[in-house]
């Protein structure tokens, strides 16, 4: 579903991503972990074609569509992005609109210009938006102004991706500003969409505890390089200390808030590790 080969990104004199090779199978739920500045968000932006890689031989493909190749983003990127749901840290919701109207914007790629400008969405898309909001647990807030939605904007962003009919869901730090209970609810929603709907989910997480509970496979980044790709259950504090040194303490900062039983369902995955 996601194929990345030989991806490099340089910002001035700093290396943002270095020789990234990553493959995500259809229906997987994968966590990207790493401390601040490790390259998680940068990698996500490359997957959805918001950032171009350095010139040179590289490839990013999503669901058989070429997002970018050799440092050039595809000319069809708008059409390709229609199948990629992206949940940003800022959510990109219009606060003055109702929650339902924000969610309907997920249908823009298949909506005519005049309907987009007037907000006259098809009845099917309106019904789909309401079902999506119910699916993520905030159906009763559909006609509430989004700016007054407390703690539910992440779920509204997920519902918008459902209306978009995305096949791949990329969630960039979706629980960074949430209390532990809200964070668990958002992660549970993502897991339900993965397990029940078969969506391929990639989620960046600042702390490993949520990956331990919800994601069978984890890819760990450090200074723009993949230093581990394999089963999440191997990410013990001792193993992370080998990979990250003193930075590993930051990755387990939320443990007291999230420590519960942590089932690790999932399929066998490729496993590689390399201490930096």
């Amino acid at each position: 579903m996601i194929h990345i080969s030989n991806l490099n990104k340089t910002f001035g004199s700093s290396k943002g991503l270095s020789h990234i090779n990553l493959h995500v199978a259809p229906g997987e739920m994968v966590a990207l972990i790493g401390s601040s500045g490790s390259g998680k968000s940068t990698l996500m932006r490359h997957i959805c074609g918001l950032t171009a890689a350095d010139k040179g031989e590289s490839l990013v493909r999503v669901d058989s569509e070429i997002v970018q190749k050799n440092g050039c983003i595809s000319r069809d990127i708008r059409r390709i992005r229609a199948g990629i749901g992206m949940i940003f840290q800022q959510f990109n919701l219009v606060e003055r609109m109702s929650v339902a109207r924000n969610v309907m914007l997920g249908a823009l790629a298949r909506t005519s210009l005049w309907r987009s400008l007037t907000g006259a969405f098809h009845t099917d898309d309106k019904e789909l938006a309401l079902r999506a909001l119910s699916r993520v647990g905030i159906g009763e807030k559909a006609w509430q102004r989004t700016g007054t939605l407390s703690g539910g904007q992440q779920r509204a962003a997920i519902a918008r991706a459902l209306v978009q009919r995305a096949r791949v869901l990329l969630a960039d730090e979706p629980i960074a500003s949430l209390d532990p209970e809200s964070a668990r609810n958002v992660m549970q929603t993502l897991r339900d969409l993965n397990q029940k709907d078969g969506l391929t989910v990639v989620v960046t997480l600042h702390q490993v505890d949520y990956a331990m509970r919800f994601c069978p496979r984890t890819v760990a980044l450090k200074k723009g390089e993949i230093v581990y790709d394999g089963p999440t259950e191997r990410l013990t504090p001792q193993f992370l200390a080998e990979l990250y040194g003193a930075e590993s303490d930051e990755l387990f900062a939320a443990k007291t808030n999230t420590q519960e039983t942590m089932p690790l369902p999932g399929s066998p995955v490729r496993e590689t590790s390399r201490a930096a």
Side-chain angles (χ1 to χ4, degrees):
M1 184 59 75
I2 299 174
H3 169 86
I4 302 171
S5 63
N6 197 36
L7 182 65
N8 295 278
K9 182 62 179 179
T10 304
F11 298 101
S13 60
S14 301
K15 200 71 173 177
L17 295 172
S18 182
H19 303 294
I20 299 296
N21 293 281
L22 179 65
H23 311 282
V24 178
E28 277 198 282
M29 184 163 178
V30 180
L32 294 181
I33 68 166
S35 56
S36 299
S38 61
K40 303 186 303 295
S41 296
T42 301
L43 179 54
M44 295 286 260
R45 292 178 64 84
H46 280 79
I47 295 174
C48 64
L50 289 174
T51 301
D54 292 346
K55 298 297 181 182
E57 187 174 347
S58 64
L59 178 66
V60 177
R61 190 174 65 234
V62 176
D63 196 17
S64 77
E65 299 274 9
I66 295 178
V67 173
Q68 57 177 288
K69 184 177 182 180
N70 301 337
C72 295
I73 295 176
S74 171
R75 293 181 179 180
D76 294 329
I77 191 60
R78 290 182 181 272
R79 177 185 60 80
I80 295 170
R81 283 202 199 111
I84 304 172
M86 185 72 188
I87 302 171
F88 295 93
Q89 295 182 41
Q90 298 82 12
F91 314 124
N92 289 352
L93 300 173
V94 183
E95 293 192 352
R96 66 179 181 275
M97 283 186 181
S98 68
V99 177
R101 183 57 60 86
N102 264 296
V103 172
M104 289 177 205
L105 294 178
L108 283 179
R110 57 180 182 272
T111 303
S112 65
L113 179 60
W114 78 265
R115 285 184 178 275
S116 300
L117 294 175
T118 60
F121 289 93
H122 291 282
T123 300
D124 288 348
D125 289 326
K126 293 178 182 179
E127 294 176 352
L128 179 59
L130 295 177
R131 290 198 302 271
L133 285 169
S134 296
R135 178 73 186 278
V136 300
I138 54 172
E140 75 284 358
K141 301 181 184 297
W143 304 110
Q144 183 174 321
R145 183 174 173 176
T146 303
T148 65
L149 191 63
S150 176
Q153 292 193 350
Q154 292 90 338
R155 296 193 192 187
I158 294 172
R160 182 179 56 192
L162 293 179
V163 171
Q164 186 180 331
R165 296 174 181 167
R167 300 177 297 276
V168 176
L169 192 57
L170 308 177
D172 189 16
E173 297 278 9
I175 60 173
S177 59
L178 300 181
D179 61 84
E181 181 178 359
S182 297
R184 285 193 295 270
N185 289 336
V186 168
M187 290 299 297
Q188 182 64 58
T189 299
L190 292 175
R191 185 166 67 180
D192 285 347
L193 293 174
N194 168 253
Q195 294 184 344
K196 297 177 181 179
D197 294 45
L199 287 183
T200 302
V201 178
V202 180
V203 54
T204 67
L205 298 169
H206 188 65
Q207 289 125 350
V208 73
D209 303 86
Y210 292 98
M212 292 289 292
R213 183 176 180 188
F214 294 100
C215 302
R217 175 184 171 194
T218 292
V219 175
L221 293 170
K222 180 180 180 181
K223 296 181 180 179
E225 297 185 11
I226 294 178
V227 294
Y228 176 77
D229 181 353
T232 307
E233 60 189 353
R234 283 205 59 200
L235 297 179
T236 62
Q238 294 76 17
F239 185 63
L240 283 172
E242 294 178 13
L243 296 177
Y244 288 99
E247 294 179 20
S248 65
D249 293 338
E250 180 183 349
L251 297 175
F252 273 99
K255 190 159 189 174
T256 56
N257 292 328
T258 61
Q259 190 172 27
E260 297 180 17
T261 56
M262 298 182 181
L264 291 168
S267 57
V269 295
R270 174 175 54 91
E271 178 183 340
T272 61
S273 65
R274 175 171 56 84

